[in-house]
Amino acid sequence: MAKKDPTDLTVEERLKTLYQLQTTLSSIDEKRALRGELPLEVEDLEDEIEGLTTRIEKIQADIDEYQRAVAQKKGEIENAKASVERYKAQLNDVKNNREYDTLSKEIEFQSLEIELCNKKIKEANFKVEEKKAELEQNQALIEDRRQALDLKKAELDEIMEETRAEEEKLKVKVKELEVKIEPRLLTSFKRIRKNARNGLGIVYVQRDACGGCFNKIPPQRQLDIKMHKKVIVCEYCGRILIDPELAGVKIATPSTEEKKPRKRAIRKTVKKDEPAVPEAEA
Ligand SMILES: [Zn+2]
């Protein structure tokens, strides 16, 4: 068969191709489901570590600043002490009371300065201790998160390793199928699939109902679906509907099927259908 323009495909062919695309995408979804929350957990941990790193840097900067302040105050104390010594020496040869009073006042002032500096140093040292404890806590926390991240990453890598090859093959098939589908139909299919909880954009009619939302389909509409003359969507959920026969699905007779396992029944059928798809593709 020569390569056709997607728009040349009959509705029947389009629906068939779309259904093949659906089963392929569902297989990829299943593989991804195996990874579960792991990719998200890895991302969360990476974000948390980044946040902790920033916090640790901030605490370290605070400590540095308090320590600089302590050094500065120590310098001021040295200066004040030197002044006191100098004034005390001058006291020995004062000439009058006024000079004595002035020097005494200076000594008192410098002593108060020293006291104040000591108080500030004490406060800053206290802050440094506080910050150091905070730093230690956050360092322990980041270490813990790094270990958790390593574990999660290893776990994820292992799963990825197992499924990667298969997933790559499926992705290639998706690409092959996608080019066969008319872009407009593909776009709306993708949109439906994205909004559907189970990732199904096209479903087959099952016991007179939509295989996606299980709402009943009126008989006339069912007939239209069987005709494969136009693309028909479920009026409740918007999913594209396909005749099971066209989808290549064998449906269990209603008498053997209970109401409850409906959802499971679909998954099973999709799985069962998988080997049939590569055949159609080849
Ligand atoms: Zn529906």
Side-chain angles (χ1 to χ4, degrees):
M1 189 172 67
K3 209 175 172 193
K4 277 189 188 176
D5 183 77
T7 48
D8 289 343
L9 290 183
T10 63
V11 171
E12 203 169 281
E13 287 169 319
R14 282 185 205 175
L15 287 170
K16 256 179 142 168
T17 317
L18 210 52
Y19 194 77
Q20 285 176 12
L21 175 62
Q22 177 66 69
T23 51
T24 314
L25 288 170
S26 293
S27 300
I28 295 177
D29 288 347
E30 268 175 48
K31 305 244 175 304
R32 293 203 173 141
L34 281 177
R35 296 178 210 152
E37 300 286 299
L38 274 174
L40 217 66
E41 285 170 7
V42 165
E43 210 175 292
D44 282 351
L45 281 168
E46 282 170 344
D47 286 349
E48 201 181 341
I49 288 168
E50 204 185 303
L52 281 168
T53 308
T54 312
R55 198 190 296 169
I56 286 171
E57 281 167 4
K58 171 87 172 61
I59 298 169
Q60 191 57 62
D62 285 348
I63 291 174
D64 291 348
E65 206 181 306
Y66 285 124
Q67 283 175 337
R68 260 200 308 277
V70 168
Q72 198 197 325
K73 290 291 162 198
K74 278 184 177 163
E76 283 173 27
I77 288 175
E78 286 316 306
N79 287 342
K81 275 184 177 166
S83 300
V84 169
E85 288 313 309
R86 204 169 59 244
Y87 295 139
K88 275 185 178 166
Q90 285 171 22
L91 273 182
N92 293 330
D93 39 34
V94 287
K95 292 171 185 75
N96 50 46
N97 274 347
R98 201 172 57 86
E99 221 173 295
Y100 182 89
D101 284 348
T102 309
L103 282 170
S104 297
K105 278 214 173 80
E106 275 301 332
I107 290 168
E108 200 192 333
F109 176 75
Q110 294 297 337
S111 302
L112 283 174
E113 273 298 298
I114 292 168
E115 227 172 90
L116 190 66
C117 283
N118 274 325
K119 196 175 160 239
K120 295 262 186 211
I121 288 170
K122 217 176 144 190
E123 278 169 8
N125 277 335
F126 182 75
K127 284 280 181 195
V128 167
E129 287 315 306
E130 233 179 33
K131 290 282 166 190
K132 273 184 177 166
E134 210 181 309
L135 186 69
E136 222 168 276
Q137 263 177 11
N138 281 287
Q139 273 163 344
L141 199 58
I142 204 169
E143 190 44 47
D144 180 77
R145 293 297 182 267
R146 277 183 182 140
Q147 275 172 16
L149 179 64
D150 285 349
L151 279 176
K152 294 277 178 200
K153 265 189 170 167
E155 211 179 315
L156 184 60
D157 282 348
E158 203 179 311
I159 295 172
M160 295 279 276
E161 208 50 62
E162 284 167 20
T163 57
R164 189 177 286 131
E166 271 177 277
E167 206 177 311
E168 286 312 312
K169 259 191 261 170
L170 288 166
K171 278 182 183 166
V172 169
K173 205 171 132 195
V174 164
K175 287 246 153 60
E176 284 169 3
L177 288 166
E178 278 184 348
V179 294
K180 289 186 186 171
I181 301 163
E182 188 202 349
R184 219 158 42 117
L185 182 63
L186 185 64
T187 307
S188 61
F189 165 75
K190 280 183 177 170
R191 198 188 53 237
I192 299 164
R193 193 176 120 78
K194 204 175 136 200
N195 293 331
R197 195 175 39 82
N198 51 12
L200 297 175
I202 180 166
V203 291
Y204 56 86
V205 181
Q206 217 181 350
R207 291 199 292 180
D208 302 332
C210 161
C213 68
F214 306 110
N215 276 301
K216 286 279 175 223
I217 301 164
Q220 182 55 50
R221 222 173 161 72
Q222 283 191 54
L223 270 179
D224 289 341
I225 295 161
K226 277 203 173 72
M227 299 288 285
H228 323 143
K229 288 287 175 252
K230 56 178 181 174
V231 175
I232 294 170
V233 298
C234 168
E235 46 188 339
Y236 298 98
C237 68
R239 287 182 178 95
I240 297 162
L241 293 164
I242 184 170
D243 179 19
E245 210 180 302
L246 191 60
V249 179
K250 278 205 189 90
I251 293 206
T253 51
S255 58
T256 59
E257 220 183 336
E258 282 302 309
K259 275 215 168 206
K260 261 191 281 169
R262 263 180 179 172
K263 211 180 154 196
R264 252 197 329 178
I266 294 174
R267 287 201 142 243
K268 261 192 209 154
T269 328
V270 169
K271 263 196 169 169
K272 214 170 26 186
D273 192 44
E274 264 180 59
V277 177
E279 230 171 86
E281 179 58 28

